[in-house]
Amino acid sequence: QKEVEQNSGPLSVPEGAIASLNCTYSDRGSQSFFWYRQYSGKSPELIMSIYSNGDKEDGRFTAQLNKASQYVSLLIRDSQPSDSATYLCAVRGESNYQLIWGAGTKLIIKP
Amino acid sequence: KAGVTQTPRYLIKTRGQQVTLSCSPISGHRSVSWYQQTPGQGLQFLFEYFSETQRNKGNFPGRFSGRQFSNSRSEMNVSTLELGDSALYLCASSLTSGQGGQETQYFGPGTRLLVL
């Protein structure tokens, strides 16, 4: 059973600080990794995708991938109250069409 | 480009009834996936359709079914509704079926189903 694990939280971070969200996966052949943000009552929206080991930056967001350790993380710099949401990690294997989803981490940014 | 649309947005049904939900993917997208989301359960994969063929299926009972039309629009049907079917049903579309790994799924606003 291929799994994606996330700490459910809530993770509470002061405004302006760095929020760090982590995700581990069991399928060593996984090739594609996605972070989605979901506000309460809304549908998930894509924040970032990452396919290669290392860091990928997009504005205040940085995704980090370490395939040897089978984890992917999302850093949010200068956290804002509007970043308060549930963050979902999704992983796709090498030959599997299906995305495997983590249960999500609830992030709370305190003003 | 218009996003993924889902109809209806809200639905109230009673136990034993059946329901059909509709999803129109982003123009040009040929893959449609369906998910069920309940509080505390995260996204539960129902099935994926690509070019009118079901490519993947999650662990849901046979009461849950779907189909895809030649224009890539998709419907899912739930028969003999149970109270536990109350959930947000999300549709996501992507350009292809995900082979190769890098296809991104884009979600519609969801259909919120309440079973009484």
Side-chain angles (χ1 to χ4, degrees), chain B residues 11-84:
Chain B
L11 207 50
I12 300 176
K13 292 286 188 178
T14 56
R15 279 185 303 173
Q17 287 187 308
Q18 75 165 21
V19 66
T20 299
L21 311 182
S22 181
C23 171
S24 292
I26 293 170
S27 178
H29 284 196
R30 295 168 62 192
S31 172
V32 173
S33 297
W34 288 90
Y35 296 90
Q36 181 195 67
Q37 189 175 39
T38 54
Q41 289 292 320
L43 282 173
Q44 303 295 312
F45 174 73
L46 281 156
F47 27 66
E48 181 206 5
Y49 286 87
F50 176 71
S51 292
E52 303 177 66
T53 300
Q54 188 180 89
R55 297 302 295 266
N56 274 300
K57 189 178 190 304
N59 295 323
F60 277 81
R63 300 186 297 108
F64 292 82
S65 63
R67 59 178 175 169
Q68 186 180 34
F69 302 96
S70 58
N71 62 357
S72 294
R73 189 177 70 86
S74 179
E75 289 181 346
M76 68 161 283
N77 184 78
V78 188
S79 62
T80 318
L81 284 166
E82 301 177 359
L83 295 179

Side-chain angles (χ1 to χ4, degrees), chain A residues 1 31-32 34 36 38 41-46 49 51 88 92-99 101-103, chain B residues 35 37 42-43 45 48 55-57 88 90 97-110 112:
Chain A
Q1 179 83 5
Q31 295 292 317
S32 303
F34 305 85
Y36 285 78
Q38 185 174 26
K42 302 295 185 182
S43 60
E45 57 179 334
L46 179 72
S49 57
Y51 312 113
L88 301 168
R92 180 179 283 124
E94 183 176 16
S95 59
N96 191 349
Y97 308 123
Q98 183 181 335
L99 276 176
W101 293 83
Chain B
Y35 296 90
Q37 189 175 39
L43 282 173
F45 174 73
E48 181 206 5
R55 297 302 295 266
N56 274 300
K57 189 178 190 304
L88 178 67
L90 291 161
S97 66
Q99 191 173 13
Q102 297 192 5
E103 286 300 325
T104 299
Q105 289 189 354
Y106 298 92
F107 284 85
R112 192 165 295 279

Side-chain angles (χ1 to χ4, degrees), chain A residues 22 32 36 39 56-58 66-67 69 72 90 95 97:
Chain A
N22 299 311
S32 303
Y36 285 78
Y39 292 114
K56 180 181 178 182
E57 187 175 317
D58 184 0
N66 185 324
K67 290 186 178 180
S69 300
V72 56
S95 59
Y97 308 123

Side-chain angles (χ1 to χ4, degrees), chain A:
Chain A
Q1 179 83 5
K2 298 172 183 175
E3 295 182 342
V4 174
E5 300 284 343
Q6 293 183 258
N7 189 320
S8 61
L11 175 64
S12 184
V13 174
E15 183 176 357
I18 296 175
S20 178
L21 304 161
N22 299 311
C23 170
T24 59
Y25 57 95
S26 61
D27 181 7
R28 188 168 287 279
S30 297
Q31 295 292 317
S32 303
F33 308 85
F34 305 85
W35 282 102
Y36 285 78
R37 176 178 63 198
Q38 185 174 26
Y39 292 114
S40 181
K42 302 295 185 182
S43 60
E45 57 179 334
L46 179 72
I47 297 177
M48 292 188 71
S49 57
I50 186 167
Y51 312 113
S52 304
N53 274 329
D55 296 359
K56 180 181 178 182
E57 187 175 317
D58 184 0
R60 296 186 297 112
F61 298 93
T62 299
Q64 298 176 319
L65 175 61
N66 185 324
K67 290 186 178 180
S69 300
Q70 294 176 241
Y71 82 80
V72 56
S73 61
L74 180 70
L75 302 179
I76 307 175
R77 290 183 301 280
D78 188 23
S79 296
Q80 303 297 310
S82 60
D83 295 325
S84 297
T86 295
Y87 289 79
L88 301 168
C89 173
V91 176
R92 180 179 283 124
E94 183 176 16
S95 59
N96 191 349
Y97 308 123
Q98 183 181 335
L99 276 176
I100 308 299
W101 293 83
T105 297
K106 184 173 183 178
L107 175 66
I108 299 172
I109 306 299
K110 290 188 172 181

